[in-house]
């Protein structure tokens, strides 16, 4: 049934949130090895080469926290949609390859990018995530049917043949010295080749007219170039951070409202990016150390910097994981109301509160928050 009140609109991560997608943990897999990613959790029952469903009790606990989070949002008057899980344990194939398992439908932020009235399905670069967009198609179809202005786009599906990956990357990269790793990050000489455009939506930070695209383990230069051509009315910038394992910008560089960006100090930004923000009167705030720093999380491939993976409900209100009390204190000092959300159990499923969501509607229009040019920006 059509719902004519639905509207796709979101230009940044801070305008008042009206409608959001929240992921589900159902059926999430520890993926079978593939060129782009090789899970290795020997102490948690999944040594390199093995794969299978996440333990049932972990999935249940993550789903409970995701459902509770959806409830918190709904009680604040925000409409919440959810994906439709597939059988992620199934083998998948294209004419070029076969992959022993899929992954899941948490975090949706990796797959879908909302820019204005457009929702764009990212290419992804893991073979296990190639079909993940299907979990979101029921919601996208409903939005398309209801909102005559919605633009439903999909980036070119990649072939993901062996030509898209540097052979033997994982065998060598983790053994090279830190300085060499960081040099490779700066030169974007990581696991992906430039054979075709590849990007995850979570590598893009949206600030109105400016889109910041992190080159990472899942986003290549060709993906950045595709995005630049796809959004000709935006300024689309490729950025890197001092991070040996860059994976999604939203635990590193987190714009909170016009003039304020939260930065993970352990992953310094390029001086030119800092300067671009500074000359446009943005304050770059270094986030406090995560409270969860010392707590090992079973089967997690995320860093403790998920702490800063927060969700704005509006420019004055942020959802923060409930144990991240130091970050909450820091944000209160900047005038935010902090909504504490229990979410630690969701971390091993691939993300925090920002990763777990996709904006469908925020109030607001396209604005230019960076009137002054600097360097390549
Ligand atoms: N997908 C977010 C992971 C970010 C991080 O671990 O730093």
């Amino acid at each position: 049934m059509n719902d004519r009140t639905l509207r796709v609109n979101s230009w940044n991560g801070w305008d008042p949130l009206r409608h959001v997608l929240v992921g589900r943990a159902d059926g999430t897999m520890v993926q079978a090895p593939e060129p782009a990613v090789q899970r290795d959790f020997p102490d948690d029952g999944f040594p390199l080469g093995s794969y299978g469903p996440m333990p049932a009790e972990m999935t249940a606990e993550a789903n409970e926290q995701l459902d509770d989070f959806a409830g918190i949002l709904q009680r604040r008057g925000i409409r919440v949609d959810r994906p439709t899980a597939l059988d992620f344990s199934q083998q998948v194939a294209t004419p070029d390859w076969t992959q022993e398992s899929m992954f899941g439908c948490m975090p949706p932020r990796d797959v879908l990018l909302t820019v204005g009235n457009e929702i764009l399905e990212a290419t992804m670069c893991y073979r296990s995530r190639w079909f993940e967009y299907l979990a979101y198609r029921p919601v996208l179809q409903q939005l398309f049917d209801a909102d005559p202005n919605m633009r439903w786009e999909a980036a070119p599906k990649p072939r993901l043949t062996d030509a898209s990956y540097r052979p033997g990357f994982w065998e060598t990269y983790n053994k090279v010295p830190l300085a060499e790793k960081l040099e490779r990050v700066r030169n974007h000489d990581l696991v992906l080749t430039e054979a075709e455009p590849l990007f995850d939506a979570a590598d893009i930070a949206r600030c109105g007219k400016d889109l910041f695209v992190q080159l990472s383990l899942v986003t290549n230069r060709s993906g950045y170039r595709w995005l630049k051509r796809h959004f000709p009315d935006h300024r689309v910038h490729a950025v890197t951070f001092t991070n040996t394992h860059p994976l999604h910008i939203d635990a590193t560089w987190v714009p909170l409202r016009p003039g304020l960006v939260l930065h993970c100090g352990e992953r310094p930004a390029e001086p030119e990016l800092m300067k671009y923000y500074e000359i446009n009167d943005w304050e770059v705030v270094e986030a406090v150390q995560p409270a969860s720093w010392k707590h090992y999380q079973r089967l997690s491939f995320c860093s403790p910097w998920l702490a800063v993976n927060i969700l704005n409900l509006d420019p004055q209100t942020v959802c923060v994981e409930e144990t991240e009390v130091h970050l909450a204190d820091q944000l209160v000092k900047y005038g935010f109301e902090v909504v504490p959300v229990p979410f630690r159990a969701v971390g091993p499923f691939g993300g925090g509160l920002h990763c777990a969501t996709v904006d469908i509607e925020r109030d607001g229009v396209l604005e230019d928050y960076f009137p002054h040019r600097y360097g390549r920006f």
Side-chain angles (χ1 to χ4, degrees), residues 107 110 247-248 250-252 267 301-303 305-306 309 350-351 355:
D110 298 1
L247 177 74
H248 304 150
D250 56 356
T252 298
R267 299 168 174 173
F301 53 88
C302 293
S303 78
W305 289 103
L306 274 191
N309 192 263
C355 300

Side-chain angles (χ1 to χ4, degrees), residues 250-254 256 262-264 267 287-294 297 300 302-311 318-331 338-339 341 343-344 347 351-355:
D250 56 356
T252 298
W253 190 258
V254 182
L256 292 175
L262 192 63
H263 180 210
C264 164
R267 299 168 174 173
V288 295
Q289 194 80 0
S292 57
W293 192 248
K294 298 266 185 272
Q297 272 210 294
S300 181
C302 293
S303 78
W305 289 103
L306 274 191
V308 299
N309 192 263
I310 61 188
L311 182 75
V318 279
C319 292
V320 176
E321 206 289 320
E322 69 166 359
T323 59
E324 297 299 342
V325 288
H326 309 309
L327 178 64
D329 288 346
Q330 185 180 29
L331 293 169
V338 171
V339 180
V341 180
F343 218 62
R344 283 277 288 159
L353 295 156
H354 193 261
C355 300

Side-chain angles (χ1 to χ4, degrees), residues 46-83:
F46 285 98
L48 183 64
S50 59
Y51 63 96
M54 291 286 279
E57 73 282 3
M58 288 180 71
T59 303
E61 202 186 341
N63 264 337
E64 197 177 315
Q65 293 197 340
L66 284 157
D67 292 348
D68 288 349
F69 178 40
I72 289 171
L73 298 173
Q74 283 163 332
R75 284 192 292 282
R76 286 182 165 253
I78 297 164
R79 178 172 174 148
V80 177
D81 280 327
R82 311 296 298 274

Side-chain angles (χ1 to χ4, degrees), residues 200-211:
D200 271 17
D203 265 325
I204 297 145
R206 303 165 307 142
C207 291
K209 203 166 166 57
D210 287 69
L211 302 175

Side-chain angles (χ1 to χ4, degrees), residues 105-165:
C105 56
M106 165 55 221
R109 183 77 67 172
D110 298 1
V111 184
L112 300 176
L113 176 69
T114 310
V115 176
N117 62 345
E118 170 175 336
I119 300 185
L120 172 65
E121 297 171 6
T123 65
M124 314 306 287
C125 71
Y126 294 177
R127 291 174 180 168
S128 53
R129 304 192 74 179
W130 201 95
F131 287 101
E132 206 166 298
Y133 68 98
L134 293 173
Y136 305 109
R137 282 286 172 96
V139 171
L140 294 172
Q141 182 71 54
Q142 188 191 22
L143 292 168
F144 181 74
D145 291 342
D147 176 0
N149 293 316
M150 182 220 183
R151 284 171 56 92
W152 180 3
E153 299 275 358
K157 288 303 282 178
R159 288 190 69 162
L160 301 184
T161 67
D162 289 349
S164 288
Y165 311 101

